Every structure is written in structure tokens, then in C-alpha cells.
Amino acid sequence: DAATTAAPPDAGETPVVSPKPEVAPAPVADKPAAVADKPAPVADKPAPVADKPAVASPAAVDAATGKKLLEELCTQCHELDDVEKHGGDDVSGWAKVVRAMVEEGAEITDAQAKQLVPFLAVTYPKQ
């Protein structure tokens, strides 16, 4: 089980023995490693398309908070009639409106805008 060196040992010397490298047997798999036990789940719905803005669902909007923000923040500069005159819009459109108001000086934080914009999109939807 041990291999000896090719040169014979001189008299009185102990032969140099080098061990054989042990090789572990390769594991045998029942199936390829890339195949999982279960297939990957398939989404019920396709991923949203980037060029279509997200639509806020009424269930995802906190109506009380949105209304309060609308009444407190938007009326600092104009009447609520102006919001209605704007007409309806989707989330993307209302986000642009709120961004423009901030650029005009409205003091609306990002957290407030994230609550206000979906509320506006649900309350004043694009027609």
C-alpha cells in the first residue's frame, strides 16, 4: 500500500517511503446538481411594464392620511378647487405635479409625498 522510491536504499539506510495519495470516490448523484427537487414558482401575473405607471389601489391608500395631507399641505398655496381643476391623473402624473409644487416652494417631505400621491391618484383618477 505504500510506494517505495525508485532508487534502492544503501546498506544500513532505511528506505524512503512516500504514501500513495488517497483519492475519494466521486459522489454519484441521483440527479444533476442543477435540477432542483421542485420547479421554481411561476408568477401568476407578469411583471409590470416599465412604460406603464403603477396604479394605486384604493386598499393600499390610507384615505384619512391622504386627505389630511391634501388639506394641510396643498391649501398652503392654493384652494382645493385647483386640485379638482387639474383633472384626474395616474400615480406618475400626480408625482410630477407634487414634484412641481415642491420646486415652487411647497414644503412636502418625501414620506408625505409617498402617501399623498397614491391618494390623489385614487381620489382624482385619470379619466
Side-chain angles (χ1 to χ4, degrees):
D1 290 58
T4 57
T5 59
D10 290 336
E13 286 186 21
T14 308
V16 177
V17 178
S18 47
K20 285 185 181 179
E22 292 196 26
V23 178
V28 178
D30 294 344
K31 53 190 161 190
V35 177
D37 288 312
K38 296 179 183 176
V42 177
D44 291 2
K45 299 177 185 175
V49 179
D51 62 346
K52 292 183 180 177
V55 177
S57 70
V61 175
D62 180 350
T65 301
K67 183 176 181 181
K68 181 179 176 187
L69 290 170
L70 174 66
E71 292 171 350
E72 290 178 0
L73 301 174
C74 300
T75 59
Q76 289 179 5
C77 300
H78 55 76
E79 298 296 320
L80 290 179
D81 291 348
D82 292 333
V83 176
E84 292 174 9
K85 288 178 190 173
H86 169 75
D89 227 327
D90 56 21
V91 172
S92 177
W94 280 115
K96 289 177 186 174
V97 170
V98 170
R99 201 173 311 118
M101 296 298 104
V102 169
E103 289 172 6
E104 293 290 326
E107 295 179 6
I108 302 172
T109 67
D110 286 342
Q112 290 170 324
K114 286 179 183 176
Q115 293 177 314
L116 180 60
V117 168
F119 171 77
L120 291 169
V122 169
T123 307
Y124 303 100
K126 192 170 194 168
Q127 301 297 325

